[in-house]
């Protein structure tokens, strides 16, 4: 058998087939390895995802903590609102009782009536002082611009000397608790004067002239 026969015979064909198969397997393995992601990149991606989840969770917990603190603070501040509102009604009755006494009767009152009047006045002051210690404060709207959030207009008072919608009279005192209105003040507002913007402009000019 010649060398040509050996190179071109069945053995050569089988060798070529084996070589092709080996090359195909190696190529397939190489492609498979190339298609698989780098383990280091996988770890980096997983680490980034865990970090994002941690940051979101931390932000949610911080928001929950702040909301809880605010709710607890509001609960402490406004838990007495209903009780305070009822006490204001008692204070109003004390004030009505005092206002119902004519000035001449106070001046001519005997020792017993004078003591009674002083006792009612002291009770009213003590009640308002106790409410103030719990965050209830009396509104002082006289001279302020009418604000429907804090005031309730009952009537208008002709007064050209002050800007329109200025509170000039209080019929019933208003109170606030914390940042909320416990009871709006019932007031009378001025009518017939300049608008607020005009009054402020005139005031500025008067200050410059002075």
């Amino acid at each position: 058998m010649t060398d040509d026969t050996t190179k071109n015979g069945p053995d050569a064909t089988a060798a070529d087939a084996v070589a092709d198969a080996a090359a195909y397997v190696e190529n397939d393995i190489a492609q498979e390895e190339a298609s698989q992601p780098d383990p280091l990149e996988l770890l980096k991606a997983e680490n980034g995802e865990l970090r994002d989840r941690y940051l979101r969770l931390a932000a949610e917990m911080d928001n929950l903590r702040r909301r809880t603190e605010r709710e607890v603070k509001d609960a402490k501040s406004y838990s007495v609102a209903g009780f305070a509102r009822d006490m204001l009604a008692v204070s109003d009755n004390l004030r009505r009782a005092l206002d119902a006494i004519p000035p001449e009767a106070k001046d001519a009152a005997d020792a017993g009536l004078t003591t009674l009047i002083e006792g009612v006045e002291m009770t009213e002051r003590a009640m308002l002082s106790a409410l103030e210690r719990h965050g209830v404060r009396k509104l002082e709207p006289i001279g302020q611009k009418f604000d429907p959030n804090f005031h309730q207009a009952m009537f208008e008072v002709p007064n050209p000397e002050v800007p329109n919608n200025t509170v000039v009279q209080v019929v019933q005192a208003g109170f606030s608790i914390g940042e909320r209105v416990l009871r709006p003040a019932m007031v009378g507002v001025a009518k017939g004067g300049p608008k607020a913007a005009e009054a402020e402009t005139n005031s500025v000019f008067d200050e410059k002239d002075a």
Side-chain angles (χ1 to χ4, degrees):
M1 183 178 294
T2 63
D3 293 339
D4 293 339
T5 302
T6 303
K7 293 179 180 179
N8 298 324
D11 292 340
T13 303
D16 292 340
V18 171
D20 292 341
Y24 177 79
V25 171
E26 290 178 358
N27 184 52
D28 189 44
I29 293 174
Q31 290 181 355
E32 185 177 353
E33 291 178 350
S35 63
Q36 291 180 352
D38 186 0
L40 181 58
E41 295 298 327
L42 286 176
L43 288 175
K44 289 181 178 179
E46 184 177 358
N47 182 60
E49 182 180 354
L50 291 175
R51 183 174 181 276
D52 290 342
R53 291 173 60 183
Y54 167 77
L55 291 176
R56 286 196 298 268
L57 180 60
E60 291 175 359
M61 292 301 296
D62 188 54
N63 291 336
L64 177 61
R65 178 184 60 79
R66 292 180 181 179
R67 184 165 61 250
T68 302
E69 289 178 352
R70 184 170 61 251
E71 290 175 353
V72 170
K73 182 179 178 181
D74 289 347
K76 290 181 179 179
S77 300
Y78 305 120
S79 60
V80 299
F83 175 77
R85 196 176 290 109
D86 292 339
M87 289 301 98
L88 289 180
V90 178
S91 177
D92 291 340
N93 290 333
L94 293 174
R95 174 45 47 188
R96 292 189 187 99
L98 292 171
D99 292 342
I101 303 175
E104 57 273 14
K106 291 182 179 180
D107 295 337
D110 57 17
L113 180 57
T114 300
T115 302
L116 177 61
I117 294 173
E118 291 176 351
V120 174
E121 291 175 341
M122 290 177 61
T123 302
E124 181 193 30
R125 288 195 299 270
M127 181 174 295
L128 294 177
S129 178
L131 289 172
E132 186 172 356
R133 287 196 298 272
H134 290 278
V136 179
R137 285 178 169 73
K138 186 177 181 181
L139 300 177
E140 302 292 345
I142 293 291
Q144 296 180 357
K145 182 180 178 181
F146 174 76
D147 186 344
N149 296 314
F150 295 93
H151 313 141
Q152 180 178 349
M154 305 301 295
F155 52 84
E156 293 180 328
V157 179
N159 189 339
E161 297 180 0
V162 296
N164 265 336
N165 292 327
T166 298
V167 176
V168 293
Q169 186 175 345
V170 176
V171 179
Q172 185 182 67
F175 292 84
S176 64
I177 179 169
E179 298 178 355
R180 302 179 184 176
V181 176
L182 184 63
R183 186 180 74 183
M186 296 183 179
V187 300
V189 297
K191 178 184 178 182
K195 293 183 179 180
E198 295 177 357
E200 292 177 0
T201 302
N202 293 336
S203 176
V204 170
F205 286 145
D206 292 341
E207 292 177 359
K208 289 182 178 179
D209 293 340

